Amino acid sequence: MMGLIIFIIWFSLIIGIPFGCFGSYERTLLSVQKQKALFVFGDSLFDPGNNNYINTTTQFQANWSPYGESFFNPPTGRFCDGRIIPDFIAEYAELPLVPSYFEIGKDHFVHGVNFASGGAGCLVETFRGFVIDLKTQLKYFKKVTKDLKNKFGRKKSKQLLYNAVYIFSAGNNDYFNFDATYPKHEYANMVIGNLTSVIKGIYKEGGRKFVILSLGPLGCTPGSRALNFQQGNKSGNCIQQLTTLAKIHNSALPKMLKQLEQKLPGFKYSLFDFFKVASERINNPSKYGFKTSKTACCGTGPFRGIYSCGGKRQIKEYKLCKNVKDYLFFDSGHLTEMVYKQVAELLWNGTVDVIQPYNLKSFFHLPA
Ligand SMILES: *[C@@H]1O[C@H](CO)[C@@H](O)[C@H](O)[C@H]1NC(C)=O
Ligand SMILES: *[C@@H]1O[C@H](CO)[C@@H](O)[C@H](O)[C@H]1NC(C)=O
Ligand SMILES: *[C@@H]1O[C@H](CO)[C@@H](O)[C@H](O)[C@H]1NC(C)=O
Ligand SMILES: *[C@@H]1O[C@H](CO)[C@@H](O)[C@H](O)[C@H]1NC(C)=O
């Protein structure tokens, strides 16, 4: 008798799976646990249009032509001519585009959600009132985890959150908005401290796998070069002091991540050297298929470094390049789709010289 029952259970398991004997609700629950998901946090490098939904100014938005035109019609609010880094990562991970937080509706979040906001920093003071700061992004993430729990139950939603990857581009704007009343290192500690709090907050909700981008060479954007030019440095050099701030921040990142790894059981991270990847392309554009790294495709003034692309901000006049593929920078501070694709590929399957200890391809499959 016992043998028969075991046989029936065994037999129904064997035929149950291939013949789809589970109901569709049951199937959803089963798949949710194994679902790959990508949660995105940070600034304009990652913002898919969240700032379209907040009370801000056009300084912090980009949902008009020619933004987006290489891929999206109508424009979405991405600060780029086309797709941005999270779009490519989603593609490589075989996920749908990660939706903006304000567009997830009732159940459109099992593959992850994008909370990033153009202009946001790690400090609440950074462009306060115009952006969704990182702390608020965490608050929105907690709302999503609550919805997940309500929909799938505690155990299954936890499993999804354990397995998910959490990616950050955060800190750039804190240094563009540097408060010089602080000593540089003290300011950087404060920025990193606030980033750490948010990472811990996500860990508390179940997050385990974190990917952090280092900051780019902030003084070498067309916007920075234009500023330098306007302040009398006609050579179009980078603003060294700004890049130095990014370097200070970047050197504190690995220490912070190692400390979290020691303190939080199961915490895993990967650090991507965006500074190196961007600098190599700025210093040697032709090696990577670009004609210029100093001048932006879209903007006005020296190096088209005045932030006027599309004519919807303070300055209405702007110039647009003919062939965006020749350019590293689309506007005064943001890269083109071609660059983001190269960066995303390195995040996905790059080697330890740019991403370690895991690239995203291995990180997604790593058991939490
Ligand atoms: C939006 O911001 C403007 C200017 O800062 C302010 O006057 C207005 O009250 C704000 N509206 C809302 C709904 O917060
Ligand atoms: C976070 O930033 C605030 C300023 O916005 C600062 O007062 C605070 O000390 C920082 N927190 C940490 C943990 O560094
Ligand atoms: C121009 O920039 C370079 C590089 O940052 C610097 O060495 C030089 O002193 C600057 N010149 C002026 C006039 O500011
Ligand atoms: C890395 O991934 C990209 C995107 O999937 C792919 O096109 C490229 O061939 C891969 N490179 C290597 C070395 O596997």
Side-chain angles (χ1 to χ4, degrees):
M1 191 59 190
M2 200 59 182
L4 184 62
I5 290 168
I6 288 169
F7 176 77
I8 288 169
I9 292 170
W10 173 79
F11 187 71
S12 62
L13 279 175
I14 297 289
I15 63 159
I17 295 162
F19 291 94
C21 288
F22 295 113
S24 85
Y25 179 68
E26 202 57 28
R27 246 195 320 269
T28 310
L29 289 185
L30 279 172
S31 58
V32 159
Q33 296 178 83
K34 296 192 194 121
Q35 189 63 63
K36 262 188 274 179
L38 178 64
F39 291 94
V40 182
F41 299 84
D43 53 32
S44 58
L45 252 71
F46 285 180
D47 183 355
N50 280 315
N51 284 4
N52 302 346
Y53 297 90
I54 63 170
N55 191 15
T56 183
T57 68
T58 53
Q59 194 72 14
F60 301 97
Q61 295 177 317
N63 53 339
W64 54 80
S65 162
Y67 285 105
E69 276 186 350
S70 302
F71 191 79
F72 297 100
N73 182 22
T76 58
R78 284 166 173 77
F79 295 80
C80 180
D81 61 299
R83 284 162 291 180
I84 53 176
I85 294 168
D87 301 328
F88 288 108
I89 293 172
E91 183 191 323
Y92 303 153
E94 296 175 329
L95 293 170
L97 282 188
V98 181
S100 139
Y101 172 68
F102 295 101
E103 292 172 359
I104 54 180
K106 276 211 181 74
D107 48 18
H108 192 47
F109 44 60
V110 291
H111 303 286
V113 178
N114 188 329
F115 302 93
S117 163
C122 301
L123 303 177
V124 292
E125 287 87 354
T126 296
F127 303 123
R128 174 183 256 164
F130 297 99
V131 303
I132 308 160
D133 62 71
L134 211 53
K135 227 177 178 167
T136 307
Q137 293 181 31
L138 171 63
K139 197 176 92 190
Y140 292 163
F141 171 71
K142 286 181 180 168
K143 283 191 183 167
V144 168
T145 63
K146 213 169 162 189
D147 289 346
L148 276 170
K149 212 181 291 170
N150 288 338
K151 200 172 161 86
F152 300 110
R154 210 189 63 84
K155 201 171 150 216
K156 269 147 190 153
S157 63
K158 261 276 146 57
Q159 200 59 50
L160 183 144
L161 295 168
Y162 279 144
N163 289 337
V165 170
Y166 302 81
I167 190 165
F168 285 78
S169 165
N172 293 294
N173 291 305
D174 298 303
Y175 301 99
F176 279 126
N177 196 46
F178 178 56
D179 178 351
T181 61
Y182 286 94
K184 288 177 187 144
H185 281 87
E186 200 176 303
Y187 189 81
N189 285 339
M190 202 163 73
V191 173
I192 300 260
N194 278 262
L195 176 60
T196 308
S197 308
V198 170
I199 292 176
K200 282 182 180 161
I202 296 170
Y203 175 89
K204 216 170 151 191
E205 295 293 311
R208 292 296 177 269
K209 301 195 263 183
F210 295 85
V211 180
I212 314 292
L213 269 64
S214 70
L215 306 186
L218 303 178
C220 298
T221 64
S224 297
R225 290 185 202 273
L227 198 64
N228 216 2
F229 185 94
Q230 286 166 336
Q231 288 172 352
N233 200 320
K234 302 295 176 195
S235 60
N237 290 330
C238 302
I239 301 180
Q240 238 10 278
Q241 302 95 300
L242 203 45
T243 300
T244 300
L245 288 171
K247 284 183 179 166
I248 292 170
H249 178 96
N250 290 345
S251 67
L253 275 178
K255 291 173 205 153
M256 177 270 269
L257 291 166
K258 280 191 191 106
Q259 275 170 14
L260 285 180
E261 188 184 38
Q262 281 164 12
K263 218 158 101 185
L264 308 175
F267 176 87
K268 295 180 182 68
Y269 71 89
S270 199
L271 181 56
F272 180 74
D273 196 345
F274 182 63
F275 188 94
K276 180 178 179 184
V277 167
S279 300
E280 280 173 353
R281 282 157 183 76
I282 287 167
N283 297 335
N284 209 343
S286 62
K287 195 173 155 192
Y288 298 93
F290 304 100
K291 290 208 173 118
T292 177
S293 61
K294 280 191 168 179
T295 300
C297 168
C298 188
T300 106
F303 312 102
R304 292 189 195 140
I306 291 167
Y307 190 43
S308 60
C309 182
K312 301 269 170 126
R313 304 196 182 100
Q314 281 103 320
I315 294 172
K316 305 300 172 203
E317 165 227 345
Y318 71 99
K319 291 203 176 88
L320 180 65
C321 69
K322 277 210 180 68
N323 194 356
V324 67
K325 290 199 158 64
D326 292 341
Y327 290 78
L328 205 65
F329 283 93
F330 183 60
D331 68 14
S332 63
H334 304 107
L335 300 162
T336 57
E337 183 185 74
M338 284 306 289
V339 187
Y340 285 148
K341 184 166 194 256
Q342 293 181 1
V343 172
E345 278 193 21
L346 290 171
L347 271 157
W348 182 249
N349 57 13
T351 45
V352 292
D353 56 322
V354 292
I355 183 161
Q356 58 172 321
Y358 311 100
N359 58 29
L360 279 169
K361 194 177 175 177
S362 53
F363 213 28
F364 265 106
H365 293 116
L366 198 70

